[in-house]
Amino acid sequence: MSTFFTPGPAALFPTVQSHYMEAFRLNLGSISHRSAAFRKIYQHADEQLRELFALPKSHAVLFTGSATEVWERIIMNTVEHESFHLVNGSFSKKFFDFAKDLHKYANSMHKPFGEGFDASEVEVPEYAELICCTANETSSGVQMKASEIHKIKKANKNKFVAVDMVSSAPYPNLDFSLVDSAFFSVQKSFGMPAGLGVWFANEAMLEKSERMKKHEGIVGTYHSLPSLWENYKNFETPETPNVMAIYVLGKVAEDFNRIGVENIRKETDKKAKALYDFAKKSDNFEIFVENENHRSATVVVLNCKEGSSKVINTIKERSDMIIGAGYGKLKETQIRIANFPAVNMDQVQALITELGSL
Amino acid sequence: MSTFFTPGPAALFPTVQSHYMEAFRLNLGSISHRSAAFRKIYQHADEQLRELFALPKSHAVLFTGSATEVWERIIMNTVEHESFHLVNGSFSKKFFDFAKDLHKYANSMHKPFGEGFDASEVEVPEYAELICCTANETSSGVQMKASEIHKIKKANKNKFVAVDMVSSAPYPNLDFSLVDSAFFSVQKSFGMPAGLGVWFANEAMLEKSERMKKHEGIVGTYHSLPSLWENYKNFETPETPNVMAIYVLGKVAEDFNRIGVENIRKETDKKAKALYDFAKKSDNFEIFVENENHRSATVVVLNCKEGSSKVINTIKERSDMIIGAGYGKLKETQIRIANFPAVNMDQVQALITELGSL
């Protein structure tokens, strides 16, 4: 049985397959999304996610097809003219590109691949309506700490702050009184098959979207914030959603709550430390992200002295462990190791042993 | 084990659960959507759907989160100013509403609930760019015959024709030299859990979208036609898609091809005839759609003399068969029976026996 350390799609969380089996047993592929049975499933996911993320009542739990979709929806629904993007990798750049594709005036601050942002150096343009932060740049293994994101909101209270937490949720300990919106997809830290995006958005965003719509703005159709929210009030969705995935997400969030989010965070830190400590001592690997504060806890990126493909192939052949290649141009020289809840300390240690024996 | 005659989500096709089991065995929840393994899965689905629908090379096979999403995408990508909608039920009306939400000039021809369209009575406005037909109105059980849709294209060759075949595919025998686009979702006739939309679109639509984009039109971001198509050339998707569902769809399409689409159509006709023949003779039920040419083969709608909830509950209690209620205002007076490939003649006969014994 392969062990996946790939940064997404990633290893399935150990309980996921049996939750899917139960979903089939319960006929969740056939029930109506306008039934009480579905509303109960949505409500359960909502409750478990609220507990896991300490999400206040001001925020709704909405479902899309992917986190990529949320990039588009959040810009369409909350940016009338200007957005602002902290760009330091391929995914934060895509978020920025989406704003331009939607004909918004997209401001940005750029950092080289492998570098991160601190609040003190960020200057937000006066007319920006939405500040887009990436809690974890999956492409480069750079994180932006929750505390830095909070500082940005404190200094810009009249603007929305959105956090892409695709490859880190529920690791970042976000204070949702200082974060208007956050989103992720289920195939990363939640260890589920892809096909569902999760979008937290607050009432202030809903109000903005409603105002934009009233004043002839185009905020989309079924997945506009007003449409999603109106359905959410009854624990329904505008379209027939990925019912099984919503069920399984609720169950995995329940599993996470049973472990405790603080334990998940501590365990993530411990596993990350083991990986980075290994790389520090290694002759074959080097930590890519130099600034320790910006180093991701959930996606560890290492430079390989002798190319990545040999490392990846050897590890796969020897021990059936699958690790990720570097992203884009760095495919040949870097490896990326996902440090999600689905892999435990023993598996990380086994990987370290293999990497050390190359 | 319940038998679902609900019009969507519907009964799972008998092979679906084992295809999902195989997907788990193959680690399809963890593989990269940029891998050769994924491209092979996409290509397989593409080939099987092409065979099933006799889809020419001019058309691409694209994936979205739902058919609802396609309503939005097709309008954003192919309508610069004006669309035209044949509206005769709740779903064709939503398609029409989406065009208005996107600030297009949406023309329409309306028919009362339960009535359908023939080509000869349809007058398409001169400046309409896209003609939206619904092959099967799930809400009312009204179909528009493929031959009538073809006639509309023949009379309007300079306009796009799009066919919503959500609750009928692959039953309608569309000639794709006369249909620019068609789409469906997998939780109806394909008998799969929801969470995937399938969109066929041709090169002329792609070119239109590219022209609109070039001339400052907003055609969306990751799911614009140019973006979907560019990725499709490599059998990839812009975002991480519902990989498992794409795999299972390819497998179900393969199962359908093994049966043969003509056999599926004949069997559908036979089962529909049995249901309608029963209703004709029944004292308790009455066929809702009066015009036989407009009567749906895939969603049979019957008026209940003594209310629908008693019928639905009795059938469920006696024999664990689940039938759908009427849509919207007709919930209390009608039943809807899905006649998809997942239910066979024996099951339909068993349902008829139960309905007859009320």
Side-chain angles (χ1 to χ4, degrees), chain A residues 83-100:
Chain A
S83 60
F84 175 61
H85 303 259
L86 297 176
V87 177
N88 64 333
S90 308
F91 294 101
S92 46
K93 171 143 192 315
K94 275 192 191 174
F95 198 177
F96 170 56
D97 289 341
F98 275 28
K100 290 187 286 183

Side-chain angles (χ1 to χ4, degrees), chain A residues 169-339:
Chain A
Y171 178 80
N173 194 357
L174 294 178
D175 173 353
F176 281 94
S177 72
L178 296 167
V179 170
D180 300 281
S181 178
F183 53 90
F184 60 93
S185 46
V186 299
Q187 74 275 14
K188 310 276 184 182
S189 287
F190 282 77
M192 288 172 53
L196 186 68
V198 182
W199 183 12
F200 304 148
N202 70 7
E203 284 157 349
M205 281 190 156
L206 172 65
E207 283 158 22
K208 171 92 181 259
S209 177
E210 282 170 341
R211 276 201 309 278
M212 284 168 63
K213 194 177 172 183
K214 198 173 158 187
H215 292 90
E216 302 194 350
I218 294 178
V219 297
T221 61
Y222 72 119
H223 273 182
S224 71
L225 259 183
S227 168
L228 282 164
W229 204 299
E230 184 61 29
N231 280 275
Y232 168 65
K233 284 186 201 161
N234 300 320
F235 293 117
E236 289 188 14
T237 55
E239 85 291 19
T240 315
N242 190 337
V243 176
M244 285 211 174
I246 294 172
Y247 168 82
V248 175
L249 175 65
K251 289 291 173 184
V252 172
E254 193 181 338
D255 296 332
F256 281 8
N257 283 323
R258 211 170 288 125
I259 298 167
V261 70
E262 275 315 315
N263 289 328
I264 289 174
R265 287 174 185 145
K266 272 185 214 154
E267 191 68 13
T268 302
D269 285 334
K270 231 168 79 183
K271 291 182 293 170
K273 189 175 181 304
L275 284 161
Y276 285 123
D277 283 350
F278 157 75
K280 274 179 205 161
K281 287 184 234 150
S282 166
D283 294 329
N284 294 322
F285 301 99
E286 183 185 73
I287 297 172
F288 175 51
V289 178
E290 286 175 18
N291 183 332
E292 214 167 318
N293 282 317
H294 297 160
R295 223 170 259 168
S296 168
T298 51
V299 177
V300 172
V301 178
L302 305 179
N303 296 320
C304 307
K305 296 255 162 81
E306 293 184 34
S308 66
S309 52
K310 202 182 143 191
V311 173
I312 294 168
N313 293 335
T314 308
I315 295 281
K316 184 176 181 342
E317 277 164 31
R318 277 201 202 158
S319 52
D320 208 8
M321 292 175 181
I322 322 287
I323 52 180
Y327 194 86
K329 284 180 193 167
L330 296 163
K331 185 175 176 173
E332 299 297 334
T333 57
Q334 295 188 338
I335 54 171
R336 290 183 300 156
I337 300 165
N339 176 28

Side-chain angles (χ1 to χ4, degrees), chain A residues 4 9-10 17 21 24 27 29-31 68-69 72-73 98 102-103 187 194 216 218 221-222 239-242, chain B residues 4 9-10 17 21 24 27 29-31 68-69 72-73 98 102-103 187 194 216 218 221-222 239-242:
Chain A
F4 284 85
Q17 191 171 344
M21 297 305 91
F24 276 105
N27 289 319
S30 302
I31 65 162
T68 303
E69 184 182 347
E72 182 183 271
R73 301 299 178 191
F98 275 28
L102 294 167
H103 293 204
Q187 74 275 14
E216 302 194 350
I218 294 178
T221 61
Y222 72 119
E239 85 291 19
T240 315
N242 190 337
Chain B
F4 283 85
Q17 191 170 345
M21 297 305 92
F24 276 105
N27 288 319
S30 302
I31 64 163
T68 303
E69 183 182 349
E72 182 182 270
R73 301 301 178 188
F98 275 28
L102 295 168
H103 293 204
Q187 75 274 13
E216 303 194 349
I218 294 179
T221 61
Y222 73 118
E239 85 291 17
T240 315
N242 191 337

Side-chain angles (χ1 to χ4, degrees), chain B residues 110-333:
Chain B
H110 288 259
K111 284 258 177 156
F113 213 80
E115 294 186 19
F117 294 98
D118 290 319
S120 60
E121 60 188 342
V122 173
E123 270 185 75
V124 181
E126 186 177 355
Y127 295 111
E129 299 150 68
L130 175 74
I131 303 167
C132 302
C133 308
T134 302
N136 195 64
E137 239 304 340
T138 324
S139 60
S140 61
V142 171
Q143 72 180 2
M144 184 164 183
K145 289 201 166 180
S147 54
E148 297 302 303
I149 294 169
H150 299 154
K151 282 180 203 162
I152 287 181
K153 177 71 183 185
K154 282 179 195 163
N156 297 277
K157 288 210 165 145
N158 62 337
K159 302 181 191 306
F160 291 130
V161 167
V163 182
D164 177 335
M165 55 192 321
V166 163
S167 55
S168 54
Y171 177 80
N173 193 358
L174 294 177
D175 173 352
F176 281 94
S177 72
L178 296 168
V179 170
D180 300 280
S181 180
F183 52 90
F184 59 94
S185 46
V186 299
Q187 75 274 13
K188 309 275 183 179
S189 287
F190 282 77
M192 289 172 52
L196 186 69
V198 182
W199 183 13
F200 304 149
N202 70 7
E203 284 156 350
M205 282 190 156
L206 172 65
E207 283 158 23
K208 171 92 181 258
S209 177
E210 283 169 343
R211 276 200 309 279
M212 284 167 65
K213 195 176 172 184
K214 197 172 160 188
H215 294 88
E216 303 194 349
I218 294 179
V219 296
T221 61
Y222 73 118
H223 273 182
S224 70
L225 258 184
S227 168
L228 282 164
W229 204 297
E230 184 61 28
N231 279 275
Y232 168 64
K233 283 187 203 161
N234 300 320
F235 292 117
E236 289 187 14
T237 55
E239 85 291 17
T240 315
N242 191 337
V243 177
M244 285 211 176
I246 294 172
Y247 168 81
V248 174
L249 175 64
K251 290 291 174 184
V252 172
E254 192 181 339
D255 296 333
F256 281 8
N257 283 323
R258 210 171 289 124
I259 298 167
V261 70
E262 275 314 316
N263 289 328
I264 290 174
R265 286 174 185 146
K266 273 184 214 157
E267 191 69 13
T268 303
D269 285 335
K270 231 167 82 182
K271 291 182 293 169
K273 187 173 183 302
L275 285 161
Y276 285 123
D277 282 351
F278 156 76
K280 274 179 207 162
K281 286 182 235 151
S282 165
D283 293 329
N284 294 322
F285 301 99
E286 180 185 76
I287 298 171
F288 175 52
V289 179
E290 286 176 19
N291 184 332
E292 212 167 319
N293 283 316
H294 298 161
R295 223 169 259 168
S296 169
T298 51
V299 178
V300 172
V301 178
L302 304 179
N303 295 320
C304 306
K305 296 255 162 81
E306 293 183 34
S308 65
S309 53
K310 202 181 143 196
V311 173
I312 292 169
N313 294 334
T314 309
I315 296 281
K316 183 175 182 339
E317 277 163 31
R318 276 200 203 160
S319 51
D320 207 8
M321 293 175 182
I322 322 287
I323 52 181
Y327 194 86
K329 284 180 193 166
L330 296 163
K331 186 176 176 173
E332 300 297 334
T333 57

